[in-house]
């Protein structure tokens, strides 16, 4: 039972354009969502997160949108750069934001983004 | 990722051998988590440890797998009698007492290949 789904295994975008990566979840208990970026032969690196009390969080070129009713979130990268080429993982947790002690992250399978110069 | 140190980076074992994966958390972090990434899959939680304690091993396979985080030294993930299906990337992560808003910091992983 896959609780976090990233239905697009890959995405190609021209440099300078917008990249939109999507993620769906099924577990209503998830209340904190994170995006990780992963280069080959490296571990995942935290990119941006959002709590369920918000519907948008922005950090520079990266914006995450959360639609709780649809159980859907998306990561927007504007403008896309060749260095953004990596695998992006969506992850979800319960109560992480409040520090209540939940520590398990549930990951999607990832989307490989290729930014073409 | 440099803060969480995992070794070896690559490990090749024959079927039936033992694999030992080591993880040194970031300085000041007392909580360690192990995740496994099978080919074409996302990372999956295996075990959560604090010093000398296993807090949650609900993601660990019931047999052949064990983990420890001794008072001194790194955390060890041990796989006995490895099989081809154990081939995967094993990632360790660490956090301070209170998981921060960015989840936790991952190491670069150990890639285990069983031949």
């Amino acid at each position: 039972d896959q609780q976090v789904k990233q239905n697009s295994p890959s995405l190609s975008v021209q440099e300078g354009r917008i990249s939109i990566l999507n993620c769906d979840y099924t577990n209503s208990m998830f209340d904190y969502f994170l995006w990780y970026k992963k280069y080959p032969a490296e571990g995942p690196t935290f990119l941006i997160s959002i709590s369920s009390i918000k519907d948008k969080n922005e950090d520079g070129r990266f914006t995450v949108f959360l639609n709780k009713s649809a159980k859907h979130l998306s990561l927007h990268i504007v403008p896309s750069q060749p260095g953004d080429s990596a695998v992006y993982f969506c992850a979800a947790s319960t109560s992480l934001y409040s520090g209540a002690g939940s520590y398990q992250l549930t990951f999607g399978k990832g989307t490989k983004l290729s930014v073409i110069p | 990722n440099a803060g969480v140190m995992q070794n070896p980076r690559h490990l090749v074992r024959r079927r039936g051998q033992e694999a030992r994966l080591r993880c040194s958390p970031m300085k000041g972090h007392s909580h360690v988590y192990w995740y496994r990434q099978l080919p074409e899959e996302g990372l999956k939680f295996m075990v959560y440890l604090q010093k000398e304690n296993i807090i949650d091993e609900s993601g660990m396979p019931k047999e052949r797998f064990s983990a420890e985080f001794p008072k001194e030294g790194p955390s060890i993930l041990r796989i006995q009698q490895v099989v081809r299906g154990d081939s995967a990337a094993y990632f360790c992560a660490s956090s301070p007492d209170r998981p921060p808003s960015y989840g936790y910091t991952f190491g670069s992983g150990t890639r285990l290949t069983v031949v």
Side-chain angles (χ1 to χ4, degrees):
Chain A
D1 176 30
Q2 205 177 340
Q3 298 186 66
V4 177
K5 299 178 183 178
Q6 294 178 257
N7 291 321
S8 298
S10 62
L11 175 68
S12 290
V13 173
Q14 286 289 131
E15 181 179 3
R17 306 293 290 267
I18 184 172
S19 295
I20 300 176
L21 295 93
N22 294 305
C23 177
D24 298 291
Y25 62 97
T26 57
N27 188 342
S28 299
M29 296 300 293
F30 288 145
D31 59 4
Y32 199 73
F33 304 90
L34 308 91
W35 285 93
Y36 281 85
K37 176 180 180 180
K38 185 182 179 304
Y39 293 116
E42 293 186 11
T45 302
F46 170 77
L47 194 58
I48 193 169
S49 62
I50 189 167
S51 163
S52 59
I53 62 174
K54 296 184 176 181
D55 55 18
K56 176 183 175 181
N57 189 26
E58 192 172 353
D59 183 2
R61 297 187 296 115
F62 302 92
T63 304
V64 56
F65 296 91
L66 175 62
N67 182 334
K68 282 192 300 181
S69 62
K71 293 191 178 68
H72 176 83
L73 62 155
S74 61
L75 174 68
H76 292 210
I77 307 173
V78 181
S80 302
Q81 299 174 354
D84 296 329
S85 297
V87 177
Y88 289 79
F89 289 98
C90 172
S93 181
T94 57
S95 303
L96 185 66
Y97 180 79
S98 68
S102 180
Y103 41 80
Q104 288 194 28
L105 295 182
T106 301
F107 283 83
K109 292 186 177 184
T111 296
K112 184 177 181 180
L113 173 66
S114 299
V115 179
I116 304 164
Chain B
N1 289 339
V4 179
M5 304 304 294
Q6 289 189 248
N7 66 82
R9 291 294 304 271
H10 300 275
L11 182 62
V12 179
R13 284 288 178 265
R14 295 186 184 279
R15 280 180 294 172
Q17 290 184 320
E18 178 179 289
R20 283 189 179 229
L21 288 63
R22 285 176 288 278
C23 169
S24 297
M26 281 186 71
K27 187 176 181 180
H29 287 191
S30 57
H31 299 231
V32 165
Y33 317 80
W34 286 92
Y35 281 75
R36 176 168 70 171
Q37 184 184 20
L38 294 169
E40 311 300 324
E41 296 287 327
L43 282 74
K44 285 187 165 47
F45 170 81
M46 298 183 74
V47 62
Y48 162 37
L49 311 103
Q50 295 179 23
K51 284 284 187 182
E52 300 185 278
N53 283 302
I54 297 174
I55 307 301
D56 180 357
E57 55 182 349
S58 60
M60 290 271 273
K62 299 299 180 190
E63 297 177 349
R64 302 185 297 107
F65 285 72
S66 62
E68 62 176 5
F69 189 15
K71 187 176 181 180
E72 301 292 337
S75 174
I76 305 287
L77 179 66
R78 182 183 178 202
I79 311 173
Q80 294 178 291
Q81 300 176 323
V82 296
V83 300
R84 289 236 170 98
D86 297 333
S87 294
Y90 292 82
F91 293 98
C92 169
S94 71
S95 73
D97 290 342
R98 178 175 172 143
S101 61
Y102 52 86
Y104 26 65
T105 304
F106 284 92
S108 295
T110 293
R111 278 138 192 91
L112 172 65
T113 302
V114 179
V115 297

